[in-house]
Amino acid sequence: MICYALIIYSGFDSVLSAGIIGTAASFLPELNKQSAYLKKMPPAIYCGVFVGMSSAVIVPSVGFILAAGILAGVIYILSKNIFLGMGGKLGTMAFGGVLLVSLINWLL
Amino acid sequence: MMDYVIIIITGMAGATLTFYVSDQLKQGRVRASALLSLLVSLFFHFFPELLSDFLTKSIPIVFIGSSFIGMVSSSAKASYLRLAVAGCLFSIIYLNRDQFFDGYGGALGALAFISLLTSMNLSEALSKNGNLSAGITLIKKMFTKSES
């Protein structure tokens, strides 16, 4: 959602917004190096950033982004042990979330 | 034509640089991808007139997409050559993609995933123990026998 907001309200392009939030998220584990929870946050946040990179043409509202982000998160949890270490997996999950919400939106 | 070559080089650079930063410089996959993509997009944000409109728009997108390829873990038998091939494949797919993917978040990641899987499976198939390379060797022998 932060990525989407950056794109819409600050005028940054999608790559710049994703880079800013992804870089910031990658420093989260430094806040508490003992925390296993914080270590797992950057990939999940980066996955959400990809959802937020959707253009306003595809994503008509913030609720859409929220739903797509939640779905992408569910897919992320369900696919934890599939294609371990493969690049592009996070983006594919984000794409799946956005696509599913688009489909539901179109059906409704 | 030159634009396409630059895009392909960008794809290869994105994949290999991200893997280098995450694996050799031990910065982590997310930081490597995000930081490098941020630097590239900032460069074109401040110098939009340096290259053509097409390249100014496409290079950051291709770079971040191919950086997803570079986010592969080192335990997944990734080599720089495989990543460069995957990056090149990604650039070609990106240049020829259908308009369907435009605007969808994560579409770049999906394309990167497809490119990486294709590259890794291709290299496994062409490896010394693969059936494909054995078949190619057999065909070569048939032709060399028929010539002699």
Side-chain angles (χ1 to χ4, degrees):
Chain A
M1 276 178 58
I2 299 173
C3 181
Y4 183 71
L6 264 179
I7 294 168
I8 299 291
Y9 299 116
S10 71
F12 289 151
D13 68 4
S14 56
V15 179
L16 189 53
S17 306
I20 291 169
I21 295 167
T23 306
S26 72
F27 286 102
L28 276 177
E30 307 294 325
L31 293 175
N32 181 2
K33 290 188 180 173
Q34 308 295 327
S35 170
Y37 180 68
L38 282 179
K39 280 197 182 102
K40 298 209 186 283
M41 281 185 73
I45 292 174
Y46 210 35
C47 182
V49 162
F50 301 152
V51 174
M53 282 172 79
S54 304
S55 96
V57 173
I58 304 293
V59 173
S61 66
V62 173
F64 193 110
I65 280 286
L66 195 59
I70 290 170
L71 260 175
V74 169
I75 297 170
Y76 181 82
I77 292 167
L78 291 173
S79 65
K80 240 174 27 169
N81 295 321
I82 305 169
F83 290 117
L84 289 171
M86 286 303 286
K89 182 180 157 189
L90 293 177
T92 308
M93 292 187 285
F95 184 56
V98 174
L99 212 55
L100 276 170
V101 176
S102 293
L103 177 65
I104 294 167
N105 194 39
W106 178 74
L107 287 171
L108 294 173
Chain B
M1 181 65 192
M2 198 58 203
D3 286 353
Y4 290 174
V5 171
I6 292 172
I7 295 290
I8 288 172
I9 292 170
T10 304
M12 293 165 74
T16 49
L17 276 174
T18 304
F19 185 69
Y20 176 77
V21 171
S22 83
D23 193 50
Q24 298 294 317
L25 301 183
K26 309 271 185 246
Q27 291 303 304
R29 294 181 282 159
V30 174
R31 188 178 301 166
S33 170
L35 193 58
L36 288 172
S37 305
L38 178 63
L39 290 172
V40 169
S41 61
L42 273 175
F43 179 81
F44 285 100
H45 183 74
F46 289 119
F47 302 107
E49 307 294 326
L50 199 64
L51 297 171
S52 66
D53 275 348
F54 170 73
L55 285 177
T56 302
K57 259 179 60 174
S58 301
I59 288 176
I61 295 173
V62 171
F63 192 92
I64 195 172
S66 59
S67 76
F68 303 155
I69 295 171
M71 286 173 76
V72 68
S73 155
S74 51
S75 60
K77 291 198 238 174
S79 70
Y80 286 100
L81 180 62
R82 283 184 189 185
L83 294 174
V85 168
C88 178
L89 263 173
F90 172 81
S91 303
I92 294 169
I93 295 173
Y94 175 80
L95 289 167
N96 294 292
R97 77 195 183 289
D98 191 76
Q99 301 303 313
F100 168 79
F101 287 103
D102 287 351
Y104 279 95
L108 290 177
L111 295 181
F113 188 60
I114 291 165
S115 310
L116 183 60
L117 278 181
T118 307
S119 162
M120 291 183 88
N121 285 320
L122 207 61
S123 70
E124 285 295 324
L126 290 173
S127 68
K128 286 183 180 160
N129 296 327
N131 289 332
L132 186 59
S133 65
I136 292 169
T137 313
L138 201 61
I139 293 170
K140 266 193 206 166
K141 279 186 183 162
M142 279 168 54
F143 277 109
T144 47
K145 263 191 197 163
S146 62
E147 277 170 14
S148 61

